[in-house]
Each structure stands twice: as C-alpha cells, then as structure tokens.
Amino acid sequence: IQGCGLELNYLSNEKEHAHQNMELIYIIENSVQIGGEEKFRLAQNQFAVINPNQKHSFSETKDTIAFRMTVPYRTLSSLAKEQVILFRCNTVLYASPNDKEMKKLLETLMLRYLSMSEQDVSELCSLQFQIIHMLMSGYRADITSVNAYIRQEQSRKIDRILNYICLHYFEPLNLKDVAEYFRVSE
C-alpha cells in the first residue's frame, strides 16, 4: 500500500518523538518499555498501536525483536473520510475480543513478508488492508475520546504559542511570523 511500511528488526532506544504515521508494533522476542502519555511494557506476542502525532519513546530494548507496520495518516483519513482517527489497540492496556484475530493477521503478514516474492506483493497488500479494516472496525476510539483528544491537542498548541510569545516578547512579533512558525493560518 502506498506509503505503508513493514519491517522486522531489533528495536533500539529512541528518545521521545512523534510522527504522522500510525505505527503498529508486534513484539516477537523479549520486551520494550514504551513511554509517552501512557507508559507500558510490551512483551513477547503483545502488540500496540501508536497513534499519529502521539509522543512516545522506546527504552530497555536490548535484544528486542519487533515487527512494525506503519500507515501514513493521509492513507487512514482517506479510507475513513474523517479528520481525526484514534485507535485503542494495546494488548497491555486495553483487552479486546479482537486481539486473537489481530495477532493471527499480524503473524501471517510477518511470515508472508519474510518469504515474499518480489513479483507478487498482492497478498501483503491484502493482509495490510485486512489489518487496517480490523483497526477501523474493532479498535477505533469512540467519539468522546476523539473529542477529548482534539480539545487536548488544541490546548497544547495554544500553550506552545503562548509560551513562544512570552519567550520572545522583547522581539518584534507579528501575527504572520508566529503563524508561519507554528504552521497555522493567521
């Protein structure tokens, strides 16, 4: 699928960061401490979604092997026709009746990925779409959670803008420059 990524690798420690992609992580061996707003340890045969723009970090990754699937937010929003899409997919924090089926899909995708022929990637695409469909139908956050997230993000952005203005009050500031700096409209 255009823009989606698949990889099987040893995880390395990563400082807190965020990105536009939705990231689905499945632990093959050992465990990893995932930090951010929700801190948890993901162990062997467990998986979790890191939502787009969600700050997170990886630590204590020694010899942790993980399979990752990334999906650009643009792809998700075009499939769902919504502006904000959040998933509550985490076998540590939120038990779901869909976890067993999702685990099976992830394992199948990983095995096909490892044995894939360069000439036929249609099965990989099909499995990725099945996983995205399962996320959309079985793990999507309810509207209350989405609205709370939107309010929280708007509040954070406003706080960052106000902090910027406070730190630069002695400089000539104008609406255009501040809007450009934060990549928002005037």
Side-chain angles (χ1 to χ4, degrees):
I1 303 173
Q2 185 176 3
C4 292
L6 298 173
E7 64 180 6
L8 178 71
N9 62 3
Y10 283 99
L11 289 180
S12 58
N13 290 338
E14 294 180 17
K15 293 183 180 190
E16 189 171 74
H17 65 284
H19 43 73
Q20 291 279 315
N21 294 339
M22 185 261 335
E23 186 173 0
L24 178 56
I25 300 174
Y26 177 64
I27 302 300
I28 306 301
E29 195 171 295
N30 291 327
S31 66
V32 61
Q33 180 69 33
I34 299 180
E37 290 178 28
E38 299 177 315
K39 295 174 177 30
F40 57 95
R41 176 168 291 286
L42 207 56
Q44 186 171 346
N45 296 321
Q46 294 178 324
F47 56 87
V49 164
I50 297 172
N51 285 298
N53 298 313
Q54 179 182 354
K55 289 184 180 179
H56 62 283
S57 62
F58 299 129
S59 59
E60 303 173 32
T61 60
K62 190 173 187 321
D63 300 327
T64 300
I65 301 172
F67 181 69
R68 291 197 230 196
M69 176 178 154
T70 58
V71 181
Y73 190 76
R74 186 177 329 148
T75 302
L76 290 174
S77 62
S78 69
L79 292 171
K81 305 293 185 214
E82 293 176 17
Q83 285 208 333
V84 177
I85 303 162
L86 295 175
F87 300 108
R88 293 274 184 230
C89 178
N90 184 318
T91 54
V92 176
L93 300 176
Y94 321 108
S96 169
N98 298 312
D99 288 349
K100 190 174 182 178
E101 188 177 349
M102 178 63 86
K103 181 178 180 276
K104 183 179 173 186
L105 279 172
L106 286 167
E107 288 174 346
T108 303
L109 177 62
M110 180 184 64
L111 292 172
R112 296 298 187 271
Y113 172 71
L114 293 173
S115 64
M116 123 178 148
S117 157
E118 288 183 23
Q119 294 147 0
D120 184 17
V121 295
S122 62
E123 187 177 15
L124 286 179
C125 293
S126 172
L127 288 164
Q128 286 177 304
F129 275 122
Q130 288 176 56
I131 289 170
I132 291 169
H133 173 71
M134 178 164 285
L135 286 169
M136 295 285 196
S137 62
Y139 291 97
R140 201 187 224 149
D142 61 29
I143 193 68
T144 306
S145 298
V146 170
N147 287 337
Y149 175 81
I150 291 169
R151 282 191 303 278
Q152 186 179 21
E153 286 303 306
Q154 287 173 338
S155 177
R156 283 186 191 149
K157 184 173 272 190
I158 291 168
D159 288 343
R160 287 193 307 268
I161 292 169
L162 290 174
N163 287 339
Y164 178 84
I165 291 170
C166 287
L167 288 170
H168 297 89
Y169 72 92
F170 53 89
E171 299 172 14
L173 288 174
N174 62 52
L175 183 60
K176 182 180 183 239
D177 291 340
V178 173
E180 274 183 26
Y181 182 82
F182 285 98
R183 295 188 175 115
V184 295
S185 68
E186 292 178 40

